[in-house]
């Protein structure tokens, strides 16, 4: 067995570091500040006149329930899937900011086939920017 010490080569081009010299700051670093760790988005519930602040990527159904918004009609209250994208009772209309939501899921495409393009299932939509929502359209 060969010793590992024989493979070690002396390092070349090592420059000494002077602690009194500050490293040059690249202009890109200054003009491109780090993205904040927490980004908030606003959700406006038009019919109810309420606004909720959520974190980026929040689930629209969960945030609506937390805000005290009633998403479901009578039938939906009696039988809904609890947010698993199976019943289609959490339909909302996106009045503004549809581009700020996650893309429609396959289930939404099937369930909302005959509905306007502005309709979404709240349980399937993730919020990434300001949106205005009309419940029970
Ligand atoms: S709660 Fe059932 S599909 Fe949204």
């Amino acid at each position: 067995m060969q010793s590992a010490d024989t493979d070690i080569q002396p390092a070349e081009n090592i420059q000494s570091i002077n602690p009194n010299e500050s490293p040059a700051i690249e202009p890109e670093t200054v003009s491109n500040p780090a993205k904040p760790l927490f980004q908030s988005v606003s959700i406006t519930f038009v019919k109810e006149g309420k606004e909720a602040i959520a974190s980026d990527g929040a689930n629209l159904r969960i945030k609506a329930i937390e805000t005290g918004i009633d998403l479901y009609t009578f039938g939906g209250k009696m039988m809904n899937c609890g947010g698993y994208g199976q019943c289609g009772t959490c339909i909302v209309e996106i009045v503004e900011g549809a581009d700020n939501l996650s893309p429609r899921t396959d289930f939404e495409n099937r369930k909302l086939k005959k509905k306007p393009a502005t309709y979404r299932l709240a349980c399937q939509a993730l919020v990434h920017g300001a949106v205005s929502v009309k419940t029970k359209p």
Side-chain angles (χ1 to χ4, degrees), residues 61-106:
R61 174 185 177 270
I62 292 172
K63 200 62 200 177
I65 291 170
E66 285 175 358
T67 311
I69 302 297
D70 187 11
L71 282 178
Y72 299 104
T73 59
F74 180 73
K77 280 188 191 84
M78 301 301 286
M79 293 190 337
N80 69 72
C81 69
Y84 289 98
Q86 300 298 308
C87 65
T89 58
C90 61
I91 293 178
V92 294
E93 180 180 359
I94 307 302
V95 180
E96 280 179 43
D99 292 342
N100 292 330
L101 295 177
S102 57
R104 268 190 178 191
T105 63
D106 289 342

Side-chain angles (χ1 to χ4, degrees), residues 21-79:
E21 280 183 27
S22 61
I25 298 173
E26 298 292 327
E28 284 180 358
T29 308
V30 174
S31 64
N32 199 4
K35 189 178 175 185
L37 294 175
F38 175 79
Q39 216 167 356
S40 62
V41 298
S42 77
I43 306 168
T44 305
F45 295 97
V46 177
K47 275 186 183 174
E48 295 80 3
K50 286 186 176 179
E51 184 178 352
I53 303 298
S55 58
D56 184 15
N59 179 287
L60 182 55
R61 174 185 177 270
I62 292 172
K63 200 62 200 177
I65 291 170
E66 285 175 358
T67 311
I69 302 297
D70 187 11
L71 282 178
Y72 299 104
T73 59
F74 180 73
K77 280 188 191 84
M78 301 301 286
M79 293 190 337

